[in-house]
Amino acid sequence: MALQKRYYYLSMNSPSINDKVNPHDIAYIIKLLSNIYPIDINVEKALHKHCFSIKLKENNNLCKENQVCPYLYFIRKGALMSYYPEKDKRIVTYVTFENEFIGSISGLYGKSIAKEGIVAIEDSYLIGVNMDVIENLLKTSFSLNYIFRVMFEQYYKDAEERAYLIRVGNARERYLYFKRTRPSMFKRLSVDYIAALLSMNTDTFLRIKKNEEEKEKRIKEGDKILNRLNDLINEKELFKDNNIKIEDLACLVDMPSYKLSSILNQTYQINFNILINRYRVNYIKDILKESKSLHDYTIEGLAQKAGFPSRSTFYKVFKKETGLTPIEYVHQTTRKVKAINSESRF
């Protein structure tokens, strides 16, 4: 298609359009396609002959809604966003980056009016080709048909993921899911684009982001404090004192007891008693692993040795932490040791 006709479709976007494309860019695209399936020589020739390049500034449209979009583009550099206009806002359907293809989905093959718009959200450089060229190649090229099938399969997988993304849980759960599964996009995109992609307003996104960052900060600070406290508790075996109180631990890390209690409750969802009792249970587990028997100890003796105030408290806490009674725990440990020793003989 002549450059003049391309301007007919793209003049409202003010892009920089060039019929001359760097051969290295075409070779780069061909190499990526060939990684899916070795490409036919006639397809290579057609791409070298018919491709053109476009430079878009951020916020320039690649195509607008209610226009024909007869091209398929390869993003060599930058990022673009597809959206549907809805009253005074945009419903974002996807964001795509370099090394990916983009074109109108609703106006596929450029045969009908596109319902969606596509806009650059970063300064972008694209290589385009008319869909008429692609259609003609698909009639004769097995390799291109196979490549397109793989590309469309990936598109549907991505579409399913996007559909899940905007439906999963509440706004906070969508935020956390996106941050966990799309870390590079989370760091790269502006908050406005991420918020739109997650189907929430920017204020909601920023509020959630602030809350989660504060929570992460509290967890990091809590980890430092508890790591320091852990060393002190293990070194001095403070848990053996059945009269120990949270004030005693708080004093060791130079903070008020209410602050230490807050760290345990808000960050780790445990209280002081659970913390100390876990040290006691782990201590007893180590004893039982070494002895492999309860014959060396009475229940009362074990409880007292670890700092438990009573036999009943010991049983209750041990069962809650391990899911087993002390006797069941010893039997289970003994069976595992025998099984390992038996396997080692062969």
Side-chain angles (χ1 to χ4, degrees):
M1 180 176 283
L3 187 60
Q4 183 179 4
K5 194 168 183 182
R6 293 187 190 129
Y7 271 114
Y8 172 78
Y9 288 113
L10 298 168
S11 59
M12 295 184 68
N13 305 317
S14 300
S16 173
I17 306 173
N18 192 345
D19 254 6
K20 295 181 179 180
V21 183
N22 190 324
H24 292 295
D25 289 329
I26 305 299
Y28 182 81
I29 297 172
I30 290 171
K31 182 179 179 181
L32 285 181
L33 295 175
S34 297
N35 287 336
I36 301 174
Y37 192 89
I39 206 165
D40 298 342
I41 188 64
N42 62 318
V43 176
E44 289 190 34
K45 291 180 179 178
L47 292 177
H48 278 286
K49 181 179 179 180
H50 295 287
C51 282
F52 60 95
S53 64
I54 291 181
K55 290 182 179 180
L56 287 174
K57 292 291 186 181
E58 183 179 353
N59 294 324
N60 278 168
N61 278 87
L62 179 64
C63 64
K64 288 192 173 183
E65 63 273 15
N66 300 320
Q67 291 182 347
V68 174
C69 183
Y71 306 110
L72 180 68
Y73 299 93
F74 176 80
I75 306 172
R76 192 69 174 89
K77 178 184 177 182
L80 293 96
M81 176 180 77
S82 173
Y83 67 90
Y84 281 80
E86 178 63 26
K87 296 181 181 179
D88 59 344
K89 66 177 182 178
R90 292 174 171 178
I91 298 176
V92 177
T93 53
Y94 64 85
V95 174
T96 189
F97 301 91
E98 54 273 322
N99 296 333
E100 296 178 346
F101 288 89
I102 189 170
S104 172
I105 302 302
S106 61
L108 190 62
Y109 295 117
K111 304 302 182 184
S112 57
I113 298 296
K115 297 177 182 178
E116 80 272 32
I118 301 175
V119 63
I121 57 175
E122 295 177 357
D123 290 351
S124 301
Y125 174 63
L126 302 92
I127 310 299
V129 63
N130 194 289
M131 285 303 304
D132 287 341
V133 174
I134 298 297
E135 281 192 276
N136 287 332
L137 290 171
L138 287 171
K139 294 175 183 177
T140 58
S141 171
F142 169 81
S143 66
L144 196 60
N145 273 278
Y146 183 86
I147 290 168
F148 261 60
R149 191 191 81 185
V150 173
M151 288 169 57
F152 272 99
E153 287 175 353
Q154 186 59 51
Y155 166 79
Y156 280 114
K157 290 177 182 178
D158 292 342
E160 183 179 29
E161 176 69 11
R162 290 193 297 271
Y164 177 78
L165 178 63
I166 63 172
R167 289 175 174 82
V168 59
N170 55 35
R172 176 178 175 272
E173 289 168 332
R174 294 199 297 275
Y175 170 93
L176 293 175
Y177 181 83
F178 182 82
K179 184 179 180 182
R180 184 178 72 254
T181 60
R182 300 286 190 275
S184 59
M185 289 178 66
F186 187 87
K187 293 178 181 178
R188 179 170 175 174
L189 296 179
S190 73
V191 296
D192 292 333
Y193 295 134
I194 300 177
L197 191 60
L198 298 178
S199 191
M200 66 178 76
N201 62 52
T202 303
D203 289 342
T204 299
F205 179 88
L206 289 173
R207 174 177 53 79
I208 295 171
K209 185 173 185 289
K210 180 182 178 181
N211 291 340
E212 292 304 315
E213 287 176 346
E214 289 177 350
K215 182 178 178 180
E216 289 177 6
K217 184 179 179 180
R218 289 197 304 269
I219 290 174
K220 288 181 181 179
E221 291 175 349
D223 284 343
K224 289 181 181 179
I225 292 169
L226 288 187
N227 285 337
R228 182 183 169 195
L229 199 57
N230 176 66
D231 292 340
L232 292 170
I233 293 173
N234 282 324
E235 179 184 343
K236 299 181 179 182
E237 295 187 328
L238 299 175
F239 53 85
K240 290 185 175 181
D241 180 1
N242 59 21
N243 291 315
I244 192 168
K245 298 178 177 61
I246 191 170
E247 288 81 7
D248 301 322
L249 297 186
C251 186
L252 291 174
V253 289
D254 300 319
M255 67 168 49
S257 58
Y258 74 86
K259 187 173 181 180
L260 178 57
S261 178
S262 177
I263 291 173
L264 295 175
N265 289 328
Q266 295 183 16
T267 308
Y268 301 99
Q269 290 78 52
I270 61 174
N271 58 33
F272 167 75
N273 287 331
I274 293 175
L275 176 70
I276 287 297
N277 284 334
R278 283 181 180 171
Y279 281 100
R280 291 166 175 165
V281 168
N282 288 333
Y283 176 74
I284 290 174
K285 284 164 66 177
D286 289 338
I287 291 177
L288 295 179
K289 284 179 182 178
E290 290 177 4
S291 66
K292 307 298 185 298
S293 172
L294 286 175
H295 295 159
D296 299 331
Y297 304 93
T298 64
I299 296 299
E300 289 81 1
L302 275 175
Q304 186 177 14
K305 187 175 179 65
F308 281 105
S310 67
R311 169 180 172 149
S312 61
T313 301
F314 167 45
Y315 255 100
K316 181 180 178 181
V317 172
F318 194 93
K319 181 71 178 290
K320 184 176 181 180
E321 289 291 325
T322 66
L324 301 168
T325 67
I327 294 176
E328 289 171 339
Y329 182 83
V330 169
H331 290 165
Q332 185 183 84
T333 303
T334 303
R335 285 196 298 269
K336 288 181 179 179
V337 171
K338 287 181 178 178
I340 292 172
N341 293 336
S342 177
E343 290 177 1
S344 64
R345 295 194 192 103
F346 295 96

